[in-house]
Amino acid sequence: MSKPVIWMVIPCYNEEEALPETARRLKDVLAEMVAADKISPDSRIAFVDDGSRDGTWELIEKLYAADFVYAGVKLSRNRGHQNALLAGLMTVKEHCDAAISMDADLQDDVNAIPKMVDEYINGADIVYGVRSSRSTDTAFKRGSAHAFYNTMRRMGVETIPDHADFRLMDKRALEALDEYKEVNLFLRGIVPTLGYKCAVVEYERGERIAGESKYPLKKMIGLAADGITSFSIKPIRLALLLGALAVLTGFVMFIVCLCTLPAPDWLWISAAVWFVGGLQLGMTGVVGEYVGKTYMESKHRPRYLLDKVLIRENDK
Ligand code: UDP
Ligand code: MG
């Protein structure tokens, strides 16, 4: 069997400080795997420049000119990590058997890459890199990350805890991802919904090798909000639920009024306030349900993806 062609996809935003070292290390890892006859010599490393303002693109151009193992894609402007990653994956999908996405700052352990490829060779379509500890993260990042995964689960979004975007996806998983037409992109939520055979490789997450985090708190909150609102309409249901509770409260108060005749005026009035207020909130929730459904429909997500088909060629 011919060896698989593996492409690395590295989104880069203002990464001129980290890029040279990252490029070197990734090249070494690929070269080792080629030497061990594990992967094809046609394997490549593609950097996606997400509209950087520093010299990142010039560096990518230099790498491309100097060595055939490097490739580059430049977005027209900064579109954010998730979009940059998708752009890279969709661009390389035609050229590779499997693509591995990884951050440019080497926080993800390059030694996990050969293990991911092993899992792929053993039959996995998707391999998740999961960090075994968060000892290098600040207490705040650790706490906020756990709160985030918990909230996601409660909202009914399937995610792999402690997995960011360090993962291998083979060609058919990439083709399936291409069927998701939504604009608000949260890859960590979409990939687990693809199904297919998956595996996990654990790794220790290290420190950023150079430069500063390109994910300030504001972007992190944005990502979390996107993650929840693009997969769940539960926040809308909350209005319906609260409205129903308020109506019930008003109703109980009316009963109390009727039982304690003559009830004081304020009790009648507050019963009416609860009842009418609840009715309005509840009706907003009902409208929200339909808006939510329309929103979900408007994504045109595939309703299913086939894994295997057993039909003979001549069974027409
Ligand atoms: N990144 C990007 N576009 C952005 C922000 C970040 O492509 O708008 C890239 C960045 O270059 C890096 C990866 O996304 O390769 C993760 O960013 P970072 O390491 O800064 O995030 P952190 O590890 O601090 O969460
Ligand atoms: Mg990082």
PDB file of all heavy atoms in Angstrom, residues 103 105 107 205 208, ligand 2:
ATOM      1  N   ASP A 103      -1.502  24.674  16.180  1.00  0.00           N
ATOM      2  CA  ASP A 103      -1.194  26.090  16.360  1.00  0.00           C
ATOM      3  C   ASP A 103       0.256  26.375  15.974  1.00  0.00           C
ATOM      4  O   ASP A 103       1.090  25.481  15.974  1.00  0.00           O
ATOM      5  CB  ASP A 103      -1.406  26.501  17.819  1.00  0.00           C
ATOM      6  CG  ASP A 103      -2.870  26.526  18.185  1.00  0.00           C
ATOM      7  OD1 ASP A 103      -3.699  26.363  17.266  1.00  0.00           O
ATOM      8  OD2 ASP A 103      -3.176  26.693  19.376  1.00  0.00           O
ATOM      9  N   ASP A 105       2.387  28.152  17.618  1.00  0.00           N
ATOM     10  CA  ASP A 105       3.284  28.518  18.722  1.00  0.00           C
ATOM     11  C   ASP A 105       3.916  27.315  19.412  1.00  0.00           C
ATOM     12  O   ASP A 105       4.533  27.460  20.463  1.00  0.00           O
ATOM     13  CB  ASP A 105       2.514  29.354  19.747  1.00  0.00           C
ATOM     14  CG  ASP A 105       1.286  28.627  20.254  1.00  0.00           C
ATOM     15  OD1 ASP A 105       1.078  27.473  19.864  1.00  0.00           O
ATOM     16  OD2 ASP A 105       0.540  29.225  21.043  1.00  0.00           O
ATOM     17  N   GLN A 107       2.665  25.085  21.159  1.00  0.00           N
ATOM     18  CA  GLN A 107       2.116  24.668  22.463  1.00  0.00           C
ATOM     19  C   GLN A 107       1.642  23.226  22.375  1.00  0.00           C
ATOM     20  O   GLN A 107       1.623  22.501  23.356  1.00  0.00           O
ATOM     21  CB  GLN A 107       0.937  25.563  22.845  1.00  0.00           C
ATOM     22  CG  GLN A 107       1.370  26.890  23.406  1.00  0.00           C
ATOM     23  CD  GLN A 107       0.227  27.579  24.087  1.00  0.00           C
ATOM     24  OE1 GLN A 107      -0.661  28.126  23.427  1.00  0.00           O
ATOM     25  NE2 GLN A 107       0.224  27.564  25.399  1.00  0.00           N
ATOM     26  N   ARG A 205       0.616  19.896  27.060  1.00  0.00           N
ATOM     27  CA  ARG A 205       0.644  21.189  26.384  1.00  0.00           C
ATOM     28  C   ARG A 205       1.734  22.067  26.994  1.00  0.00           C
ATOM     29  O   ARG A 205       1.798  22.213  28.206  1.00  0.00           O
ATOM     30  CB  ARG A 205      -0.707  21.865  26.505  1.00  0.00           C
ATOM     31  CG  ARG A 205      -0.805  23.137  25.689  1.00  0.00           C
ATOM     32  CD  ARG A 205      -2.235  23.318  25.266  1.00  0.00           C
ATOM     33  NE  ARG A 205      -2.506  24.692  24.890  1.00  0.00           N
ATOM     34  CZ  ARG A 205      -2.729  25.072  23.643  1.00  0.00           C
ATOM     35  NH1 ARG A 205      -2.677  24.199  22.669  1.00  0.00           N
ATOM     36  NH2 ARG A 205      -3.017  26.327  23.366  1.00  0.00           N
ATOM     37  N   ARG A 208       3.961  28.733  25.073  1.00  0.00           N
ATOM     38  CA  ARG A 208       4.180  29.355  23.776  1.00  0.00           C
ATOM     39  C   ARG A 208       5.681  29.574  23.585  1.00  0.00           C
ATOM     40  O   ARG A 208       6.335  30.069  24.486  1.00  0.00           O
ATOM     41  CB  ARG A 208       3.427  30.691  23.801  1.00  0.00           C
ATOM     42  CG  ARG A 208       3.267  31.353  22.509  1.00  0.00           C
ATOM     43  CD  ARG A 208       2.362  32.549  22.695  1.00  0.00           C
ATOM     44  NE  ARG A 208       1.231  32.462  21.764  1.00  0.00           N
ATOM     45  CZ  ARG A 208       1.372  32.609  20.461  1.00  0.00           C
ATOM     46  NH1 ARG A 208       2.540  32.844  19.942  1.00  0.00           N
ATOM     47  NH2 ARG A 208       0.320  32.495  19.675  1.00  0.00           N
TER      48      ARG A 208
HETATM   49 MG    MG B   2      -1.172  29.175  21.860  1.00  0.00          MG
END
